[in-house]
Structure formats: C-alpha cells, structure tokens
Amino acid sequence: MAARVKRALARVNLAAVQRNCLRLGDALSGGAELCAVVKADGYGHGAAPCAEAALAGGASWIAVAAAGEAAHLRAAGVAAPLLIMGALTPAEIDVAAAAHAGVVTWDERFVAALAGRRLRVHVKLDTGMGRLGTRDVDLARRTVTAIDDADGLELAGVMTHFATADEVGDAFLGDQLAAFEPFAREVKARHPDAVIHAANSAATLREPRSHFDLVRCGVAIYGLDPFQRDPGEQGLEPALSLRSYVAAVKPAAPGQSAGYGRRWRAREPTHLATIPIGYGDGVRRALSNNADVVIRGRRYPLAGTVSMDNITVDLGPDTDVRLYDEAVLIGDGVSAEEWARRLDTINYEVTCGLTARVEREYHRDD
Ligand SMILES: Cc1ncc(COP(=O)(O)O)c(C=O)c1O
C-alpha cells in the first residue's frame, strides 16, 4: 500500500467519459452530433485524454475556449474537428489557423482581421446570454456576408448559448430558442452545410428542440450533473475521484486544537489524521470544518482550517485508520456536487479548481 499511495491524485475514468458521451448521443434528436467541450483542461480532468475518450464515445467535434487549448490538443494528436468558442486576440488568430480550428465571430471588423487565412468561421448570435455574440440580427447577417466575401474564409456554422438551461422550469430558454431559430434557418437555407448549434449539457438533456445539428456538451461528459443534483438521475457517471493518504495519525486530548486559527478543538479524547492535500491542490479553504473525507469506506469530518498543503480529519476515539491508508476526498459517495453545495458554487468550479499540482492518472474502470 505504502508504495502505491500518492500525495494528491485525481484518478479519471476514461471509460466513464466514453459512456457519458454514448448516453448523451442516445438522447440526441434528428441526427444531431455531439461536440465534447474540453476547455479549461477538460474541466480539470485533462483535455487530451478526455477528448479521445469522448471521440471513442461517439463525439465527432471537440470544443475549447482559447486558441492555446486548440494548439495543445493538436500537439497531443487530437485530429477531430476543433472549435474555439472564445474571443481571440490578433495573435491567437494565427494560433487558431495553425491548429486548423474553427473560430467564432459576430462582427464584420473581426472578419476583416481573419481574412486571408484558411479558416472555418462560426457566427454567434447573442439571444440572451449577454456575453459573446451580437444581439443585432442585421449585424449577424452582414457578418455572414462578409465571411462569404472574404478570401480564405468559409462559413462553418451559426450558434448561440443559453443563459438558464440549467434552471429547470424556466421559460427563458424558450425565448432564446425563438430568437435564434429564424436567423439560423435563414442562414441554413443559403448555406446548407453550415452547422446550427446552441445546446450545452443542460439544454441537451432538457430540451430536444435545442439540438439542431450539433450540441456542445461539457460538464455532462465528465459525469457531472448540470442541474447540480445526483448525476445518476441523468444516467451520468462521475469520471473523477480525488485521493490522498493518511500521512500521520495522532491522539488529540480535550481542548487541543488543529490547524491555523485553532478553529477546531477536541471536545473529548480523539484521534486526528493528517492528509497532505490542501488549497494549493484545490481543496478550497471554505471547506474548513465543512467536508467529509472517506477512509476505509467511512466518512470522517474535516477538522479545522484547510491549509495550503494539509488538512486534518477527526477519526474519533477508537480508530483502525493507519499510516498510508488511502483518503478519498471526491469519490466513494462524496460528489463534486456535494462540495459545490458546501462551497455555494457549482460542480464546474470544483473540478476546474483542482490545480496543476494534483497528479492526473487515467484508467478504464479498474
Ligand atoms: C459557448 C459554450 N458552449 C457550450 C459550453 C458547455 O457547457 P456545459 O459544460 O454546461 O455543457 C460552454 C461552457 O461553458 C460554453 O461556454
């Protein structure tokens, strides 16, 4: 055991990513294809291995947010069509072109900046997200025309992004669909090869009318629930577990404290385990006195303040926990959704927040 323990390890089950993609693919209507979103290093899971697993699970496109992420995937050998969904600086345009990645625009002036390179371009209509894209349908039309007229550029698609797809029962998704569809159909009538795409994971699972030609799913491919509930309700399997080990076990007498600020004190004789993982790894400090760690299949409460490199857990008065036992922080019944609730955030931020210091290890179901 001692030889195998790792200080801070994210184990990622690529077979789960593959199955989650198959599950999403099964939900698609009207021949829509699946684009797997692997930005932010695959939501903390590792972009290239997850992209390959998603492609094995039936995804036919891969999307990222930044040009450097596209370059990274190409260098790792990912050959599928790539879409860079984010805004691009002038320098990033060349990186995108070198990666043979599709780019997004919503502005004629940006089309002029793109022109002269061989690029596939998607036009984004802002139907209510209020972020990237234009709200002005005429400008979107002129942008399409500018792409048609520009040297080297090809209109690859039209897109939008939903603001409230994860809020079950909301009506705004319908409003956004109603704002998007006429423009999308109009462009498609003149550009039959243009790909219409709008849905993220939540819209894909919730609203078949949002599927169009392609859906862009991120969070769900990792088995995280876009609705912040139990991923199992959607037939999704969490792919990531976060593991460390017991680096010390010691008794704590009543009144003795653990951690900075002495925010935990023993009320009765107990034992503390020190686990060498902390906020430097993405175990957020707001989990101080507010998380459980699983050791030998049992949950133990995190005791005291999360430090940069260590946490302590309260093992109770009688303990069979030993040095080098594995400690599971996410997994074994503790979900990223549970952390998100405790932290008043979303599961996306939990896994994206795992830092580069955490070793990633890939496996398939073992
Ligand atoms: C434009 C766009 N499309 C799709 C996605 C994927 O969203 P999700 O992870 O909720 O499936 C994102 C991620 O935030 C996005 O920014």
Side-chain angles (χ1 to χ4, degrees):
M1 187 65 202
R4 284 202 296 124
V5 293
K6 293 269 172 69
R7 186 194 68 80
L9 177 70
R11 289 197 91 220
V12 178
N13 184 356
L14 295 175
V17 174
Q18 185 172 340
R19 283 192 294 270
N20 291 328
C21 290
L22 286 166
R23 146 81 185 101
L24 291 163
D26 284 346
L28 296 182
S29 52
E33 293 183 45
L34 174 63
C35 173
V37 179
V38 301
K39 60 190 173 138
D41 200 22
Y43 294 39
H45 294 65
C50 289
E52 295 293 4
L55 293 165
S60 46
W61 291 57
I62 300 294
V64 292
E69 295 178 314
H72 167 81
L73 288 175
R74 289 297 189 228
V78 174
L82 278 185
L83 169 64
I84 302 169
M85 302 186 295
L88 296 170
T89 64
E92 285 177 305
I93 296 171
D94 290 319
V95 177
H100 303 288
V103 300
V104 178
T105 187
W106 48 91
D107 186 333
E108 297 158 285
R109 286 164 304 179
F110 192 67
V111 173
L114 296 174
R117 300 173 184 83
R118 285 180 61 78
L119 274 171
R120 294 172 56 75
V121 187
H122 300 245
V123 172
K124 185 162 193 178
L125 191 66
D126 176 8
T127 56
M129 182 67 177
R131 211 171 56 175
L132 303 179
T134 174
R135 289 186 193 268
D136 177 349
V137 179
D138 279 331
L139 175 57
R141 284 194 187 101
R142 291 201 304 279
T143 306
V144 169
T145 307
I147 293 166
D148 287 342
D149 293 346
D151 266 357
L153 306 186
E154 186 186 338
L155 182 78
V158 286
M159 64 187 287
T160 195
H161 189 46
F162 298 117
T164 57
D166 56 343
E167 295 172 23
V168 178
D170 99 290
F172 194 61
L173 177 107
D175 296 347
Q176 287 196 257
L177 268 177
F180 178 59
E181 198 158 355
F183 168 70
R185 300 278 177 223
E186 174 192 314
V187 174
K188 186 94 173 170
R190 284 194 292 118
H191 298 80
D193 293 336
V195 176
I196 304 178
H197 50 112
N200 56 5
S201 298
T204 300
L205 292 166
R206 184 186 138 191
E207 179 51 87
R209 289 188 304 140
S210 71
H211 292 175
F212 298 105
D213 298 323
L214 182 76
V215 298
R216 307 183 305 265
C217 292
V219 77
I221 76 166
Y222 309 103
L224 301 169
D225 183 39
F227 309 104
Q228 304 301 315
R229 296 192 303 238
D230 173 5
E233 286 176 25
Q234 301 291 342
L236 299 170
E237 294 173 56
L240 179 143
S241 63
L242 179 64
R243 289 154 192 275
S244 181
Y245 75 98
V246 174
V249 179
K250 56 190 169 192
Q256 288 184 329
S257 65
Y260 288 115
R262 309 193 69 203
R263 296 218 170 78
W264 176 92
R265 289 175 200 228
R267 286 202 205 95
E268 54 187 6
T270 189
H271 292 87
L272 289 174
T274 307
I275 319 280
I277 190 169
Y279 64 77
D281 302 289
V283 181
R284 293 257 302 278
R285 196 164 178 276
L287 293 172
S288 299
N289 282 321
N290 183 27
D292 287 338
V293 176
V294 179
I295 306 169
R296 295 188 176 226
R298 284 189 301 277
R299 279 184 178 238
Y300 294 100
L302 200 157
T305 311
V306 175
S307 306
M308 190 184 294
D309 314 310
N310 291 285
I311 58 172
T312 41
V313 300
D314 183 356
L315 300 173
D318 301 309
T319 186
D320 59 354
V321 170
R322 296 285 173 265
L323 182 67
Y324 297 128
D325 278 354
E326 187 178 53
V328 180
L329 288 92
I330 297 176
D332 286 7
V334 180
S335 63
E337 288 77 14
E338 177 182 324
W339 271 34
R341 274 192 298 282
R342 291 178 182 274
L343 292 166
D344 194 19
T345 182
I346 52 177
N347 46 12
Y348 299 67
E349 200 184 26
V350 168
T351 59
C352 282
L354 300 178
T355 65
R357 196 168 79 170
V358 178
E359 181 182 332
R360 269 67 170 174
E361 179 181 287
Y362 298 97
H363 70 111
R364 296 187 69 87
D365 287 340
D366 53 2

